[in-house]
């Protein structure tokens, strides 16, 4: 696995305290394919490419070239629907919108829309698209109006899942324990200008130290034993979606619902996420 440090300027970071991604004045990175980024603003993938009519006098540029094209993301979403059974349109729409290639190293950009996890440095990986989709869909099963909800993400990584969550939910708090990745996520998310994201450098095993309210949902991109702190920070009626390691040492996707009467835990398919680790490094 490739270990790399962010090779681009990183927006201001803060250690040990909450840190907002918004308002960080980083200019949009100049990354491959720069020209295509300029030529192709994000398109709705359901929109036939041929329907893009250039303004009078403008040069018609065919879409479908380069990893930033709407068509490539549309294909990924089609695979999520057909091969992986994702039917929640809110998830599909968000994943159609967020440009996954902007969250991985330039050298890996051409693989960004394949069904694979990719190295993001520091020994960590960006989750596979289907893993992101399944976890968020599981959270949404119990959430009718996500725009009114606050979710906590454990394991910001490069910030991709955080960006998808921020398209769907009203507020997203995301915690990362590795300073370099926290900074990478700041840098990746700043250009999106989302005001509903708060990035925290901290130990997610403790939940969000600054949480004034409970969360409607908690989603973890790293697995092990689910800490009690998460249940304490989950509102009644809320759901945790997390990889958990079973007695057999295998990880399973666990869904934990907090009810008035107690906690209900169910286990879904086998999964493979990086381990939850303590402390900030
Ligand atoms: N959602 C991320 C996936 C990152 S992989 C993305 O879209 O890229 C999981 C992440 O969990 C890693 O970055 C790892 O450092 C982080 N992690 C592991 N234990 C943690 C902890 N206790 N607190 C916060 N983050 C943790």
């Amino acid at each position: 696995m490739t270990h790399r440090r962010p090779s681009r300027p990183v927006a201001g970071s803060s250690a040990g305290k909450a840190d907002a991604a918004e308002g960080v004045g980083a200019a949009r990175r100049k990354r491959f394919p720069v020209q295509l980024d300029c030529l192709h603003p994000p398109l709705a993938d359901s929109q036939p490419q041929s329907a893009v009519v250039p303004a009078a006098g403008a040069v018609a540029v065919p879409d479908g070239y380069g990893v930033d094209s709407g068509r490539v993301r549309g294909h990924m979403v089609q695979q999520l629907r057909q091969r992986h059974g994702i039917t929640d349109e809110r998830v599909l729409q968000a994943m159609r919108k967020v440009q996954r290639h902007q969250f991985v190293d330039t050298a890996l950009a051409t693989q960004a829309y394949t069904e694979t996890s990719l190295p993001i440095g520091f020994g960590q990986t960006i989750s596979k698209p289907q893993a992101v989709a399944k976890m968020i869909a599981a959270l949404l099963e119990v959430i009718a109006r996500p725009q009114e909800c606050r979710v906590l993400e454990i394991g910001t990584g490069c910030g991709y899942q955080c960006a998808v969550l921020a398209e769907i939910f009203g507020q997203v708090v995301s915690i990362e324990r590795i300073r370099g990745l926290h900074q990478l996520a700041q840098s990746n998310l700043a250009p999106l200008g989302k005001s509903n994201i708060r990035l925290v450098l901290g130990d997610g095993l403790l939940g969000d130290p600054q949480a004034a309210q409970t969360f409607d949902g908690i989603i973890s991109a790293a697995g092990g034993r689910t800490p009690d702190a998460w249940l304490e920070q989950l509102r009644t009626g809320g759901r945790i979606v997390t990889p958990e390691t079973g007695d057999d040492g295998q990880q399973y996707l666990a869904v934990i619902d907090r009810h008035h009467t107690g906690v209900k835990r169910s286990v879904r398919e086998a999964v493979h996420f990086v381990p939850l680790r303590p402390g900030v490094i």
Side-chain angles (χ1 to χ4, degrees):
M1 182 175 292
T2 310
H3 290 232
R4 82 182 157 84
R5 297 207 160 259
S7 56
R8 47 194 174 269
V10 161
S13 103
S14 63
K17 66 181 172 74
D19 203 349
E22 71 272 22
V24 183
R28 190 177 175 77
R29 296 186 306 284
K30 295 275 182 285
R31 305 177 71 174
F32 170 84
V34 172
Q35 297 88 339
L36 294 178
D37 270 339
C38 301
L39 292 171
H40 303 293
L43 294 170
D45 299 295
S46 52
Q47 187 182 11
Q49 303 302 319
S50 57
V52 180
V53 180
V59 179
V61 179
D63 192 18
Y65 295 101
V67 289
D68 63 334
S69 81
R71 187 170 294 178
V72 183
R73 289 195 303 287
H75 179 72
M76 179 187 77
V77 164
Q78 191 184 19
Q79 297 294 304
L80 288 172
R81 198 194 295 275
Q82 291 175 355
R83 287 206 177 165
H84 302 290
I86 307 296
T87 55
D88 192 311
E89 290 300 328
R90 299 167 292 185
V91 177
L92 296 171
Q93 199 180 329
M95 292 186 68
R96 194 179 285 130
K97 184 168 176 191
V98 177
Q99 302 193 356
R100 193 169 184 257
H101 72 275
Q102 299 283 10
F103 292 83
V104 298
D105 194 84
T106 307
L108 300 171
T110 53
Q111 297 173 59
Y113 298 102
T114 54
E115 189 47 58
T116 180
S117 51
L118 295 168
I120 54 174
F122 305 92
Q124 307 301 317
T125 54
I126 181 174
S127 310
K128 290 180 185 182
Q130 58 136 323
V132 172
K134 281 184 183 162
M135 292 186 82
I136 300 178
L139 202 53
L140 283 167
E141 286 167 5
V142 291
I143 293 179
R145 289 188 294 279
Q147 282 298 331
E148 296 169 18
C149 291
R150 285 161 38 81
V151 294
L152 174 64
E153 180 191 38
I154 312 296
T156 316
C158 64
Y160 172 71
Q161 180 170 281
C162 182
V164 176
L165 289 168
E167 289 296 325
I168 300 171
F169 294 94
Q171 284 179 55
V172 182
V173 177
S174 183
I175 305 180
E176 173 56 56
R177 67 182 285 270
I178 300 177
R179 186 181 306 269
L181 287 176
H182 168 71
Q183 292 171 336
L184 177 66
Q186 284 182 315
S187 164
N188 286 339
L189 290 166
L192 305 187
K194 304 290 285 183
S195 58
N196 60 339
I197 296 173
R198 179 161 61 87
L199 298 182
V200 178
L201 175 63
D203 182 355
L205 287 167
L206 309 174
D208 175 16
Q210 297 198 340
Q213 299 163 259
T214 51
F215 291 95
D216 300 287
I218 298 178
I219 186 164
S220 177
R225 192 182 147 273
T226 301
D228 293 341
W230 297 0
L231 275 169
E232 285 156 20
Q233 292 185 10
L234 185 70
R235 77 161 168 82
T236 303
R239 170 170 282 190
I240 297 172
V241 180
T242 182
E244 272 188 351
T245 306
D247 295 338
D248 56 358
Q250 167 70 50
Q251 269 185 4
Y252 296 92
L253 191 61
V255 170
I256 304 164
D257 291 326
R258 183 173 174 164
H259 299 292
H260 288 288
T261 47
V263 169
K264 184 171 164 251
R265 176 183 261 96
S266 61
V267 168
R268 299 191 179 177
E269 69 209 68
V271 288
H272 186 66
F273 283 82
V274 298
L276 264 173
R277 299 222 187 270
V280 175
I281 57 172

